[in-house]
Amino acid sequence: EVHLVQSGAEVKKPGATVKLSCKVSGYNFADYHMHWVQQAPGKGLEWMGLINPEDGETLYAEKLQDRVSISADTSTDTAYMELSSLRFEDTAIYYCTISRDWAFPSWGQGTLVTVSS
Amino acid sequence: QSVLTQPPSVSGAPGQRVTISCSGSSSNIGAGFDVSWYKRLPGTAPKLLIYLNSNRPSGVPDRFSGSKSGTSASLAITGLQAEDEADYYCQSYDSSLSGWVFGGGTKLTVL
């Protein structure tokens, strides 16, 4: 069974950087692209970017590409998402999820990031 | 403002049928990119209900069905149950944005 387990909640100050992790099990890490999705309070789901763990190739949402960085460690089957220059509006739940057939069949439990002064 | 447009809310009585629409454009749904649907309960991760426009993953009841036509897609839920009360999201890919896109979400209320 596929499992994606994310790191715990974070509280950061404006301007800081946060790095979240997502450890997978139950499948070959390199087989599927890993994506990150944001859900701000009261808002919908927003795609942030993806990584192909097999070759490290990344693709980022235009509005975030200056601040987001996604990486993958195939030795530990773990993906990471780093978001820099944090703003109050980055307060959100961040999910990792894998894609198959252009859909997202498996998700992590989510990590709450709170940006507060 | 989401790239895919969904109604903010829909409602129906137990046993009834409801549909949720998802309107896109020529750079996403209209370009032939497939649509997926998700159910999200408060405090939980989204759950995949429909992929490739009309396919159900194992374990999803056949009360849920999806369709796509032109630049729009729809999710239909028949035999509405109290447990169906949740937020529903559509999702596709957009070639102009070179990325995956979601609808703004629709809150389903079971009366």
Side-chain angles (χ1 to χ4, degrees):
Chain A
E1 189 181 352
V2 173
H3 282 289
L4 285 70
V5 179
Q6 299 185 228
S7 49
E10 302 263 10
V11 179
K12 294 290 184 181
K13 293 191 183 304
T17 295
V18 69
K19 187 172 185 177
L20 309 182
S21 68
C22 174
K23 182 169 174 59
V24 313
S25 60
Y27 74 98
N28 184 358
F29 185 48
D31 281 353
Y32 301 109
H33 293 179
M34 178 68 74
H35 302 243
W36 289 84
V37 173
Q38 177 196 61
Q39 181 149 36
K43 299 284 184 69
L45 301 168
E46 189 145 354
W47 180 78
M48 301 177 69
L50 70 85
I51 187 166
N52 179 352
E54 187 170 39
D55 60 14
E57 186 174 340
T58 55
L59 176 67
Y60 301 123
E62 267 183 46
K63 62 178 282 189
L64 287 173
Q65 59 185 9
D66 291 341
R67 299 197 296 130
V68 68
S69 177
I70 299 174
S71 58
D73 184 343
T74 55
S75 69
T76 60
D77 292 345
T78 303
Y80 299 91
M81 188 281 291
E82 189 172 84
L83 188 60
S84 62
S85 303
L86 287 170
R87 309 161 182 170
F88 293 118
E89 54 265 36
D90 293 323
T91 293
I93 298 174
Y94 292 84
Y95 294 101
C96 59
T97 178
I98 59 173
S99 59
R100 188 167 65 228
D101 292 328
W102 296 91
F104 302 122
S106 299
W107 296 69
Q109 82 277 19
T111 297
L112 175 63
V113 174
T114 303
V115 182
S116 173
S117 54
Chain B
Q1 186 107 5
S2 302
V3 173
L4 304 179
T5 302
Q6 299 179 233
S9 64
V10 298
S11 63
Q16 283 190 333
R17 178 181 186 270
V18 296
T19 61
I20 299 173
S21 61
C22 176
S23 177
S25 68
S26 58
S27 62
N28 43 68
I29 298 175
F33 293 107
D34 294 305
V35 178
S36 303
W37 290 90
Y38 303 84
K39 172 184 178 181
R40 186 175 182 270
L41 293 166
T44 69
K47 174 190 173 184
L48 180 64
L49 292 176
I50 298 288
Y51 67 101
L52 297 177
N53 307 312
S54 59
N55 293 270
R56 283 187 309 276
S58 169
V60 174
D62 59 7
R63 300 187 297 107
F64 294 88
S65 63
S67 63
K68 173 187 154 183
S69 178
T71 59
S72 295
S74 290
L75 172 71
I77 309 172
T78 59
L80 209 55
Q81 300 178 4
E83 67 206 48
D84 298 331
E85 190 161 288
D87 293 326
Y88 292 83
Y89 293 88
C90 61
Q91 168 257 309
S92 186
Y93 179 85
D94 191 284
S95 56
S96 294
L97 298 173
S98 296
W100 277 252
V101 290
F102 289 91
T106 298
K107 181 174 180 56
L108 168 62
T109 300
V110 180
L111 302 170

